[in-house]
Amino acid sequence: MGGEDGDQLVIELPGGGSLGYAVFGDPDGVPCFAFHGLSSSRLMPGWMFPPELLTAVRVRMIGVDRPGYGLSRVDWAPQFADWPRAVAALADHLGTGRFAVLAHSLGSAYALACGPALGDRLAVIVIASGMGPLRPGSGSTRATEPRTCTGGWPADGPAGC
């Protein structure tokens, strides 16, 4: 893995644009990319997790600015499905093979787009306070009508809540 550390890091992306990121925790720890919610940034892991905790559990948290936030300019990634290409470029830049993803709120849609696109490269995706469901096939961030699950998943799974 790369020896970079700090909270003002930027890489130039293949195809144009840039991706801002920040690194927290154990430099030799298990890599975990963090995707922030609607009104946050790459700095999210710094206020969510005390540095001594990340070091104790041997985790290297990499907070990533999503397109249009902070230091990121990724004009070619207007849809969730475009995001994994930028994430793969950052992982390659850092020399990271397999990694985890932690996502908060709206970041969950970006994390879930990485699953099928990055496959075995992802060890796990963890969603914390994920956003509501999107209309299938839409590129919109607009959620469908609110739904509530009680007493377990319905027969058609969590999407049917």
Side-chain angles (χ1 to χ4, degrees), residues 34-123:
F35 302 159
H36 61 84
L38 183 63
S39 61
S40 192
S41 74
R42 69 193 176 286
L43 303 176
M44 175 189 75
W47 55 260
M48 283 183 82
F49 303 103
E52 58 276 2
L53 173 64
L54 292 173
T55 300
V57 296
R58 300 198 44 109
V59 170
R60 181 179 192 212
M61 192 72 69
I62 300 132
V64 186
D65 278 332
R66 292 187 295 99
Y69 285 82
L71 304 174
S72 289
R73 301 293 174 261
V74 193
D75 297 335
W76 52 260
Q79 307 265 336
F80 297 129
D82 299 319
W83 178 242
R85 224 170 79 209
V87 173
L90 178 57
D92 292 345
H93 172 79
L94 295 173
T96 302
R98 193 164 157 85
F99 55 92
V101 168
L102 167 68
H104 176 253
S105 188
L106 181 58
S108 63
Y110 290 86
L112 293 174
C114 288
L118 299 177
D120 289 341
R121 210 160 174 191
L122 290 179

Side-chain angles (χ1 to χ4, degrees), residues 121-136:
R121 210 160 174 191
L122 290 179
V124 66
I125 296 173
V126 177
I127 305 294
S129 300
M131 59 177 261
L134 299 175
R135 288 177 296 219

